[in-house]
Amino acid sequence: MNIKNKFLDPDVLGYADINMNASYTLQDGSVHICEIQLHLSSIRIVKEEVHVHYETIRTTIPRLVKNVTPEVSKQIQQFAIGRLRCSQVETALATLVEKAGGVFLHARLLMEQMEEMDAKSPGWKFDFSDLQHLSSSVYSHYDETLKRIFPLKTSATLRNKGGLFMSLICAAEEPLLSTSMEKIMGEEDFLIVKGKLSLLFPTDSGGYITITHKSVVDFLTGFGGEASNNKSDKRTCLISSDMMKSANVKLCQYCLELIGLIESEGVFPANTEEIEALNTYAWKHLVIHACKGG
């Protein structure tokens, strides 16, 4: 008797069974060899459902890729089915990476919220679109960070300077150079606020003020970068619509100064690359800031 256990090496679709070849001697002395198959009922049901797709792959590959050996054809089948099998996992991973924006903190908080949902509702159906709503944990982190930066005893003056800094970043169509922020705010105010907010708004090697994650802007404005006027929104928006409008006015004025349409009150950077970057920003976004600034 010969036994072949396919559970040790399932086929490309994951199908497996146990095949046994048994010999039986008939009355006339001849030997009859038969095959006995042992199946799991659940696998057999799935096999019937997916067989049509397997047949499509099996017949299509030889037609598209001619003159290949059976072994190469099998490898192509395995690759094609493997891609189909892992597509859901890769889609989930890509969605998580996109939402996390490269920030490990955000990825960790997303994972924690998913684990919490799983604990509350075992077997819950995962929907990729729901990831955009998994923000409460990261928002709490931002809230705690800002409370440490601006505790209750913080003066109104410092809060206003911090609000201007953050509203300019939220209103900007692209990351602003530190020199631009300093020019708009004034050197003294800029230096005071920059150090305090560097955790959420770090400066990269090129001198641009960045945000740790796009959700920071959502948290500050409450409406995807556009401050909400909805009074029923119970979540506190630190940057109001009036602050965003004022920031756009300042950015519009700065753009006009850059391209020489109004007189500048200060000196712009002497660095040629910075001047080119500033002029590019001004010409690209002047009209947008003018419209948003009213």
Side-chain angles (χ1 to χ4, degrees):
M1 177 181 288
N2 179 47
I3 300 177
K4 186 174 183 180
N5 185 359
K6 293 183 181 178
F7 285 95
L8 299 176
D9 184 25
D11 69 14
V12 291
L13 282 176
Y15 174 77
D17 60 19
I18 295 177
N19 292 342
M20 297 183 294
N21 295 120
S23 62
Y24 181 75
T25 303
L26 303 177
Q27 291 182 351
D28 61 3
S30 61
V31 177
H32 177 74
I33 298 177
C34 63
E35 180 182 86
I36 302 171
Q37 295 182 351
L38 301 179
H39 298 273
L40 290 178
S41 58
S42 56
I43 291 183
R44 187 172 181 81
I45 293 172
V46 173
K47 178 187 178 182
E48 294 175 356
E49 293 179 355
V50 302
H51 186 70
V52 61
H53 304 297
Y54 174 75
E55 280 298 309
T56 299
I57 294 173
R58 188 183 66 80
T59 57
T60 301
I61 289 174
R63 190 172 67 251
L64 296 178
V65 187
K66 301 182 183 300
N67 302 321
V68 297
T69 65
E71 181 62 29
V72 173
S73 179
K74 182 179 179 181
Q75 290 176 0
I76 297 173
Q77 290 180 40
Q78 290 175 334
F79 174 79
I81 295 174
R83 294 297 299 171
L84 292 172
R85 184 185 297 168
C86 69
S87 60
Q88 276 194 318
V89 176
E90 291 186 350
T91 301
L93 179 60
T95 305
L96 285 169
V97 169
E98 179 186 357
K99 295 295 181 182
V103 180
F104 288 113
L105 168 68
H106 201 269
R108 180 177 64 80
L109 292 173
L110 281 171
M111 183 186 71
E112 288 178 355
Q113 283 212 342
M114 291 170 67
E115 290 175 345
E116 182 181 349
M117 291 172 71
D118 189 52
K120 291 181 178 178
S121 305
W124 65 287
K125 185 177 180 181
F126 180 77
D127 188 342
F128 297 131
S129 62
D130 287 341
L131 284 178
Q132 62 185 329
H133 303 302
L134 303 181
S135 302
S136 60
S137 293
V138 76
Y139 282 177
S140 297
H141 169 75
Y142 299 151
D143 190 41
E144 289 300 318
T145 300
L146 287 171
K147 284 179 179 177
R148 289 195 297 269
I149 295 172
F150 300 115
L152 290 176
K153 62 181 180 181
T154 303
S155 67
T157 301
L158 181 55
R159 284 186 182 277
N160 290 337
K161 292 176 181 179
L164 173 58
F165 182 94
M166 292 186 288
S167 61
L168 285 168
I169 290 175
C170 292
E173 296 298 316
E174 297 176 23
L176 292 173
L177 281 164
S178 293
T179 50
S180 298
M181 187 70 80
E182 182 178 335
K183 178 75 166 52
I184 297 172
M185 293 186 64
E187 181 179 2
E188 183 179 351
D189 289 351
F190 169 70
L191 293 177
I192 291 173
V193 175
K194 178 189 175 185
K196 287 185 171 293
L197 290 170
S198 60
L199 186 63
L200 291 177
F201 307 102
T203 302
D204 67 15
S205 58
Y208 288 90
I209 300 174
T210 61
I211 56 175
T212 54
H213 188 264
K214 59 187 178 181
S215 59
V216 174
V217 174
D218 293 335
F219 168 74
L220 291 173
T221 62
F223 194 66
E226 301 292 339
S228 174
N229 285 312
N230 184 3
K231 303 301 182 182
S232 64
D233 187 355
K234 295 181 180 180
R235 184 164 62 82
T236 302
C237 302
L238 299 178
I239 306 300
S240 66
S241 56
D242 287 340
M243 292 171 70
M244 286 287 282
K245 183 175 181 180
S246 176
N248 275 292
V249 169
K250 291 181 181 298
L251 287 167
C252 176
Q253 181 177 351
Y254 182 61
C255 289
L256 291 171
E257 291 178 2
L258 285 169
I259 60 180
L261 292 182
I262 62 174
E263 186 177 350
S264 174
E265 297 179 356
V267 179
F268 289 105
N271 184 300
T272 304
E273 290 185 4
E274 280 196 17
I275 293 175
E276 184 176 342
L278 292 173
N279 285 332
T280 300
Y281 182 94
W283 285 111
K284 283 175 65 178
H285 305 302
L286 170 61
V287 174
I288 295 175
H289 289 310
C291 292
K292 290 185 176 180

